Amino acid sequence: MAKNVALGYVYTNGYHDGKQPFEGTPENIANFIMYNQDHYTIVTDRWDLFLVSSMPGGFLDRVRDMDLRDDILEHLLPMQMGDKEPVDVVKKFDLERKQEALDALAEEKALYMDEDMYDLADEFELGSNGV
């Protein structure tokens, strides 16, 4: 699992739909805010400690510290100007976690073939008469 997990909350009519995990880089926080720019959002760290909040329009409201603010703005401003499209980082994170789980399961069950297995598979496809 990613070491820097953030939890995003998207508010509609004063309520959120639950926490949405994603990799908590400044770029991903900016993407989360702009992808959900029609709503108020709050982003916290993995322990649910406040990092940043935004208002509709994708504008920063409060930020835990100024260094984080500067790092987020570096990625947020191009999206606000229309020079870059926001990405659904929650969906991306979910797909990456599922892929990691499948890879771990395949490794645990020894489903990955090594190079010798590929050679045997090639020979098997040729058949005994070389066709």
Side-chain angles (χ1 to χ4, degrees), residues 68-112:
L68 178 60
R69 175 190 161 273
D70 293 343
D71 293 341
I72 292 171
L73 284 176
E74 180 182 331
H75 302 284
L76 188 67
L77 293 174
M79 287 183 242
Q80 289 175 335
M81 300 298 291
D83 296 334
K84 185 178 174 187
E85 287 294 316
V87 176
D88 185 354
V89 293
V90 173
K91 186 175 188 177
K92 179 182 171 191
F93 183 80
D94 188 44
L95 290 173
E96 288 171 354
R97 297 301 74 77
K98 286 178 182 176
Q99 182 62 49
E100 287 175 5
L102 287 173
D103 287 346
L105 179 62
E107 188 173 322
E108 177 185 320
K109 301 294 183 183
L111 298 177
Y112 287 124

Side-chain angles (χ1 to χ4, degrees), residues 3-131:
K3 292 180 169 112
N4 188 19
V5 175
L7 304 173
Y9 298 88
V10 179
Y11 287 81
T12 305
N13 298 325
Y15 299 96
H16 64 77
D17 295 335
K19 56 186 164 190
Q20 301 178 40
F22 61 93
E23 186 177 359
T25 64
E27 180 178 12
N28 284 348
I29 293 171
N31 274 297
F32 180 81
I33 290 169
M34 288 304 293
Y35 191 80
N36 298 290
Q37 66 182 309
D38 295 334
H39 305 277
Y40 287 95
T41 66
I42 292 178
V43 178
T44 66
D45 64 15
R46 72 169 53 222
W47 297 280
D48 225 10
L49 298 173
F50 178 83
L51 292 176
V52 62
S53 63
S54 71
M55 300 181 290
F59 301 103
L60 294 181
D61 182 26
R62 294 179 298 140
V63 183
R64 182 167 70 183
D65 66 63
M66 295 306 280
D67 290 335
L68 178 60
R69 175 190 161 273
D70 293 343
D71 293 341
I72 292 171
L73 284 176
E74 180 182 331
H75 302 284
L76 188 67
L77 293 174
M79 287 183 242
Q80 289 175 335
M81 300 298 291
D83 296 334
K84 185 178 174 187
E85 287 294 316
V87 176
D88 185 354
V89 293
V90 173
K91 186 175 188 177
K92 179 182 171 191
F93 183 80
D94 188 44
L95 290 173
E96 288 171 354
R97 297 301 74 77
K98 286 178 182 176
Q99 182 62 49
E100 287 175 5
L102 287 173
D103 287 346
L105 179 62
E107 188 173 322
E108 177 185 320
K109 301 294 183 183
L111 298 177
Y112 287 124
M113 293 194 300
D114 60 17
E115 290 182 28
D116 293 336
M117 294 291 283
Y118 284 110
D119 292 341
L120 288 173
D122 289 342
E123 288 177 24
F124 181 72
E125 289 176 3
L126 289 176
S128 59
N129 61 5
V131 178

